[in-house]
Amino acid sequence: MKNLFTCKEKVVPILKKNLKMKLSVLFSFVIICALQANTTNAQHKITLDVENTTVARVIDEIEATTEFKFIFKTSVINLTRKVSLQVKNEHVENVLLSLFKSTNTSFEILDSKIFLSKAPPTPTSTPLQTTLKGKVTDVDGETLPGVTIRLKGTSKATSTDLDGQYAIQLPNADNVLIFSSIGYQTKEINVGQQTTLNVVLLESVNELEEVILSGGYYNTTERLKTGNISKITAKEINRTPVSNPLGALQGRIPGMVITQSSGNPGAAFEVEIRGRTQIDQINGASDEPLYIIDNVPLASGNEHINQINSAISASTLSGLSPLYSLNLADIESIEILKDADATAIYGSRGASGVVLITTKKGKAGKANYSISASNGVSVAPLPDMLTTKEYVAMRMEALANDGLDLETLANSSSLSNRNKVYDLAQYDTSRDENLTEQLIGGTAHTTDIQASVSGGTELTQYILSGGYHKESTVVPGNLPNSRASGRFHVTTGSKNKKFNAAFSASYASTLNTSTSSDLSFALTLAPNYQLYDENGDLAWNEGGYKSNNPLSYLLKKYEARSNSLNTNAVLSYEVLPGLTLKNSVGYNLITTDENLITPSTAINPLDRTGADGAYSFGHNTFKSWIVEPQLEYLKKMGNSTLSVLVGGSFQSQESDGYRLSVRGYEDDDQIGSLAVVTADMLQNPSSNFSEYKYAAVFGRINYNYLDKYILNLSGRRDGSSRFGPNYRFSNFGAVGGAWIFSKEAFMEDVSFISFAKLRGSYGVTGNDKIGNYKYQDVYQTGFSTGSYNSDPALTPASLFNPNLHWERNIKTEFALDVYLHHDRFQISTAWYSNISSDPLVSYPLPTTTGFSSVVNNLEGVRVLNKGLELQLTSRNISNDNLRWSTSFNITLPSNKLVEFPNFDESSYTESYAIGESLNTIIAGHVTGVDPETGLYSLQDYNDNGIYDISIDGDFRPQLDTDPKYYGGLQNSISYKGITLDFLFQYRKQMGRNWIGSYTSFTSPVGAVGINYPDVVLDRWQNPGDQTNIQQFTTSGSFFDLYNLNGGHVPAYFSDLQYTDVSFVRLKNVSLSYDLPTGILQKLGLNSMRLYTQGHNLLTFTPYKAGDPETATLNRLPPLRTFIFGAQISF
Amino acid sequence: MKLKKYRLTSRSFHHILFITLAFTSLTSCEDYVDLDLPPHLTDTEEVFASEGSAEAAIRGIFATATSSTSTTSMFKLVGLSSDELAKGSYSVEETMFATNNIAPTSSNINGIWKGFYHLIYQCNNAILNLEEATSLADDFKNQLIGEAKFMRAFCYFYLTNLWGDVPLNLQTLYEESRLLSRAPQAAIYDQIIADLRDAQTVLSPTQHTSPGERIRPNYWAATALLARVYLYQEAWALAEAEATTVLNSDLFELEELTDVFYDTSAENILQFANPGTNRYTPVQLVGFSTSFPTFRLTPQFSDTLAVADARRVNWLAGSLDGPYKYKSISNFSGPEQPEANSVLRLGELYLIRAEARAQQDNLVGENSAEEDLNTIRARAELDGTTALTKSEMLTAIYAERMRELFGEWGHRWFDVKRIGQADAIFGSVKDSWVPQAALFPIPFDEIKKNPNLTQNTGY
């Protein structure tokens, strides 16, 4: 880009040459604006009706009614010339062409500035010799309309039509043509003698000017934004072989921590934007962001949509993700709104950030068909567990350490003694069939097929797409997970562009199947566990010891079928120039039907009664309606632009479901049938219904002066049904500003800085995600207490609190964006500070009150999240053949409980400490393994000789599980048609280790029947050994609980359960090859791409026992995936 | 320029039109976010505004009681704490009770405490709302208040006998009840007696009296519980008087041993209906889930049931030595007749009166301790007692209580403690017995959340 900010006299001569190119650029810009539904394209059009008026007056008139500003030397322009012009909604360049027709005045349009100058002398005309024709496409084969093609060194230019076709007459051979278009790298091509030239334009690395960011209710650009909006595009999403869009964001967005809950297809991702605010992690107001898909809030948010437990719902915080039903290929972009300026317009729902998902829209032009298919495999990274040999040695050592004798125990008359050694006496100790391999060592297969057609005219564009995705999992057996989806989007407008309409609908049907429980839990079984008997059937109770074969979970099949529909219609009408009336209506529906079948064969034969077949089923419906009337007003006033938005939101959300279990089928074939069910077979029927309504008015005022000073005010008045009449409504708002100081005169000489902006925002948002009806004093009816002797019964639902109100989040942000060397290096930094106060919690109460908690605002409690986010992008090499760019992001967060009035009297003294992070672990401290006894010793903070498991005793804040820093490093290298992308994700963090998830209070390492990762081999063996793992022992006695040298039992309540779970992971690799134009032409294709992608390929971590992200062996870790695919378009 | 003026007018018109439209729709915000309650929730005030729902709220107390950890734990866990049951499984929790070394962090200790206080909240909520209710007839209202007061007394009886001094909560405001300190046992007993006396005045002597319908407390249940309370208080004359009132009512009679726990048993003064519609007895009362007993009688305890004692055949599970008074469980074949959890039954009342009479030196002869004791012995096909002196008689009565009431509501634990024999009896059969074990530890979680709550000594 040219330096735009030098004074007029200097600019004009340079600009003269590029006139037509610039015009084309502008034209393209207008087209893009028009394609972007609802952008205010009116300002580029001019309506004039003048008779015999001076040029000066006309210029004034244009400046008054549009955003354009004329810049010229009065000495070179004839301002007194009289003209007559009647134009209506005409493109500015056409108006200017008419205005300066047959004069020596030429013009140049840049952004909203029109430079006038004396026309250069007309070049001496050369005889025209050839006509060159061709087509311009992007790397995906999509045709590019509006690309400017200019003959180098002349003003001769043309542009491509809606189908990307162009034709230009060239004077002689050896011409150099320059192809340029907004958002794409300009390409110079020596034409030679050819008459047809098809060109592929690469996307521009510098996206500063062109990238349009959605703020939800309005659009802005990277250059003009006042708030913190991060964007990732379809390109990046499609490089990632994941089935949940959140998986594609991992490592890419500063300030956003995304954690995959398990490697089971369909399992949820947990998301946290700018730190934890939730004081009460189970029942408190959720700090998940607000999810909006094409203007419609996702009815279920990111909360799980299942009711029945299965392998997919691995932990209390996870379950079947509603986002699994989103077809990744349909996503155009995902924007993350983080600071007050960006989120305040979402009021009470914006406290934890907003995730805006926008789907693809059609592009004008001839119908473009695109088909892609990929196929791949996934495996689970397997933890290294003890082999049978090592396990048996461990057990024998444990027995010896405890002074126990295997023979004596095995032959004891006491069952309890015999059961202490069943794994050695009753199990075959020579068996080692590698349990890990057998349970989760399989290979999952992935297939993905996508097809779409898009096209349209300048007025109406459409896209129709369909996709099918199928994946299996790594456990034995056939457990398909699939998604079939269809979608269309159409935008249309009246010829005068005053009326615009957009309608989209997408429908997806997904199937998830899994075992009833994550088989990973069984990795801890003794490695000589018998899975199959001699006949190859499921083995049970080897040697008479009762135990349920984990493979029986394969017989208990879980199935969830979800359907989701998302529709949105936006109508807008430009009532007057600059004033647009708009209404957006949306509907989101997600239904889930689940069933779990337990045949009698899955029941331990010792427990079978002859009628064991069981069936659980449930249905859940989430609905969300939203109507949002809006009014937009845009006014240019001299050097400034004012845009105003006011609107209202009416949202209603409903969830309705039931579940039922039936037990006692005598015939496995009948399971699932309700025809044979008798009343006494019904178990635990339950139903739930809840409703949420929300109404608001919101507004935004944006004032832009000279594109240099920008002020943005936004606010919302919100009402939520979740609060009582006194606290139902509340106001939220923010102020944001930006100063593009690179435009200031003093920066003129600092030529290596191409763009610099200071930006700041301050405001208040809220959080009402506490659940419905919580402020009301109510009785309920439920299954277990819903009747007494068959007569209806009512019980109090909970303690109630009529004074519930919003959680408030006060956000401050300062940011500096500096782009260097013609935007080659881009540095964006943001410092943020979010104070959340009055958190909504399920406040723990002594049960003498009747309940163990009450939903409450913790008045005056303040949690501070602050941090620094840094993003660097560098275009290392950029030429026609080779491009290499690197981008890096890092976030340094911190979390602190700042204030907690009357903390000592609260119920949180054992969980938190003032001045520490919310993720602080308050526990005892293991000082090490006593080299003499071989047992863990604990720190006696209060010097009383015993281990007191309380904060008043020997518990102290030991560590916190906040990430210390995290981010990603991405490289993108392309050479001719070959593109290689790879992303490293990293995180520095403490987390729970295998001790926390594998041992229990009284089952230390060495206990009967539990296997461990091979890190335990590093244990203490002989006096004098220096190690950090205590001696093997078969049991812990709770009498040792208060013993400072008591080993495992007291140590169980210490920081021993935590370890470093940091990692650097090669998250993503994508290698693709685009066939060259010549071959494509022979094949009659627009483009063809072959690609391979990998996910979670390598992990570097100090964590020795499994995957550091899930940090537990009990859950299937994120899978390692490779896929191969091809995409063609024609 | 004229044209422009016209345009401006048009603009203003559009402006006004739009703004009016937008804001008319927004003024309805207030109503828009006002929601009706979903079908499973009812506003508390409405609950106590009509007879049907007010009664459903009272039934809710009993529905909760039937499935509460508190009530079901009285059988197994309190039995393990005393000398009557031995563990048949290896759970840490059960070991703690059986060895009388209960960690304050025990989930069951927490569950029992929490369950009783939750029931008390329900009672308090019902009592307070009923007292305020204006649209219910006084008689009806008082009857319901009486039932709630009965249940409140019932819960405090168990709380104070398990823990000694406990917080006395008679209201529903958590801001006040969350910092309650422990009230002396005497104050708890005063409240129990006051509640039961109130209940006696308002509860009907004719309702819920037919066998099979005795699933809600009436005058007789309040009186029977009062007899037990007086017995524990060593108010012998009062205990005898209350017991006599019940025994003379002619409504109740001793059943055949096999039929005592049927839901139609005429011996019962109060039963808890079985949860749900399945009419099965909770596992905790049966002692068997499927094929293995999870607990059984201690050898010394089963030895006390002589071979001649008909209760050995009828109330034990043969060779397994499990207490087997209840036999009907959902997935276990049992008798045809459904059972219900017996809360108060005539057998106990005879023994209360026998003890009260013996303590008042009414030992043998007509209307004596001996007569009441022999009524119970006779049903068990045992000969009359040979006890003659007061101490012999009391010893015989204690032994009979043990044989008659084992496996029911923790009677054994409470009896041994109240006669001051815990150290002697439990100490002789349990290695790990310490005197402080007679009171359970206050749950760790509770002390953590309520700084005014002190722990029992020894924990």
Side-chain angles (χ1 to χ4, degrees), chain A residues 47 49 57 61 65 415-417 419 546 573 575-577 579 581-582 606-607 609 625 629-631 633 635 646-652 663 679-683 687-697 719-721 725 728-729 773 775-781 783-801 843-852 854-856 904-907 909-910 949-950 1001-1002 1038-1039 1041-1042, chain B residues 1 3-4 7-8 10-12 14-15 18-19 22-23 25-30 32-45 47-48 53-64 66-67 90 92 95-96 99 101-105 110 113-114 117-119 121-122 125-126 129 167 169 171-175 177-180 212 215-216 270-279 290-292 330-331 432 444-446 448-451 453 459:
Chain A
T47 300
D49 187 356
R57 284 288 301 275
E61 179 72 21
T65 55
L415 178 65
S416 102
N417 281 337
N419 282 349
K546 188 180 168 188
Y573 182 69
V575 183
L576 285 170
L579 184 73
L581 176 61
K582 180 167 147 186
L606 289 177
D607 287 336
T609 63
W625 256 112
Q630 291 154 66
L631 186 66
Y633 179 65
K635 172 82 179 162
V646 287
S649 281
F650 293 91
Q651 187 193 335
S652 133
R663 223 168 73 177
D680 62 347
M681 288 166 75
L682 291 181
Q683 312 267 321
S687 68
N688 61 72
F689 174 87
S690 87
E691 212 180 346
Y692 167 51
K693 279 190 171 181
Y694 172 90
V697 279
S720 159
S721 63
R728 193 160 277 169
F729 285 86
Y773 316 116
Y775 70 92
Q776 280 160 309
D777 179 12
V778 289
Y779 267 69
Q780 68 180 3
T781 171
F783 171 70
S784 66
T785 54
S787 69
Y788 183 61
N789 202 38
S790 306
D791 291 322
L794 292 168
T795 49
S798 61
L799 293 172
F800 68 99
N801 179 355
Y843 185 83
L845 290 173
T847 53
T848 41
T849 58
F851 287 86
S852 46
V854 62
V855 173
N856 201 2
D904 293 338
E905 278 138 55
S906 79
S907 317
T909 50
E910 300 280 338
I949 51 167
S950 80
F1001 180 35
T1002 52
F1038 54 88
F1039 295 109
L1041 181 56
Y1042 307 110
Chain B
M1 286 326 220
L3 198 61
K4 264 200 165 168
R7 270 197 189 161
L8 274 171
S10 151
R11 181 181 297 185
S12 317
H14 279 289
H15 264 242
F18 178 74
I19 290 163
F23 287 89
S25 56
L26 294 179
T27 44
S28 53
C29 279
E30 193 82 37
Y32 183 79
V33 293
D34 212 3
L35 288 181
D36 290 336
L37 286 168
H40 71 283
L41 299 179
T42 317
D43 186 76
T44 297
E45 224 171 279
V47 168
F48 293 99
S53 51
E55 200 171 355
I58 295 298
R59 277 194 293 264
I61 300 173
F62 301 104
T64 307
T66 53
S67 51
Y90 302 91
V92 174
T95 310
M96 291 198 278
T99 58
N101 202 311
I102 305 171
T105 49
N110 198 31
W113 172 278
K114 182 171 149 181
Y117 277 106
H118 179 63
L119 281 167
Y121 174 88
Q122 273 183 269
N125 204 28
N129 277 293
N169 181 17
Q171 39 83 41
T172 54
L173 300 172
Y174 63 89
E175 280 301 349
S177 53
R178 76 183 188 94
L179 293 172
L180 282 175
I215 53 166
R216 283 176 48 195
L270 178 66
Q271 292 177 308
F272 287 154
N274 280 325
T277 52
N278 297 330
R279 314 281 301 180
T290 45
S291 45
F292 296 110
S330 60
N331 55 352
S432 51
F444 179 69
D445 264 5
E446 292 293 295
K448 206 167 84 174
K449 294 177 194 168
N450 178 356
L453 209 53
Y459 293 102

Side-chain angles (χ1 to χ4, degrees), chain A residues 415-416 419, chain B residues 76-77 80 86-96 98 287 292-296:
Chain A
L415 178 65
S416 102
N419 282 349
Chain B
K76 178 160 90 173
L77 295 174
L80 286 169
K87 68 193 179 79
S89 77
Y90 302 91
S91 100
V92 174
E93 284 283 330
E94 284 168 19
T95 310
M96 291 198 278
F292 296 110
T294 54
F295 53 92
R296 56 191 80 182

Side-chain angles (χ1 to χ4, degrees), chain A residues 489-506:
Chain A
H489 184 279
V490 57
T491 46
T492 185
S494 62
K495 205 155 192 184
N496 63 7
K497 300 269 181 187
K498 283 193 172 212
F499 176 78
N500 281 296
F503 179 75
S504 70
S506 63

Side-chain angles (χ1 to χ4, degrees), chain A residues 138-140 144 181-186 200-207 211 233 235 239 363 875 878 883:
Chain A
D138 68 5
V139 288
D140 296 327
L144 296 175
S181 181
I182 284 170
Y184 293 89
Q185 288 188 19
T186 300
V200 176
L201 289 187
L202 302 172
E203 258 186 74
S204 159
V205 177
N206 170 20
E207 292 170 344
V211 171
T233 60
K235 279 260 147 68
R239 274 176 203 150
K363 287 181 183 164
R875 207 164 11 124
S878 182
R883 292 195 306 146

Side-chain angles (χ1 to χ4, degrees), chain A residues 537-554:
Chain A
D537 298 327
L538 284 197
W540 296 97
N541 315 320
E542 186 183 17
Y545 180 77
K546 188 180 168 188
S547 162
N548 295 337
N549 190 325
L551 294 180
S552 67
Y553 285 91
L554 292 171

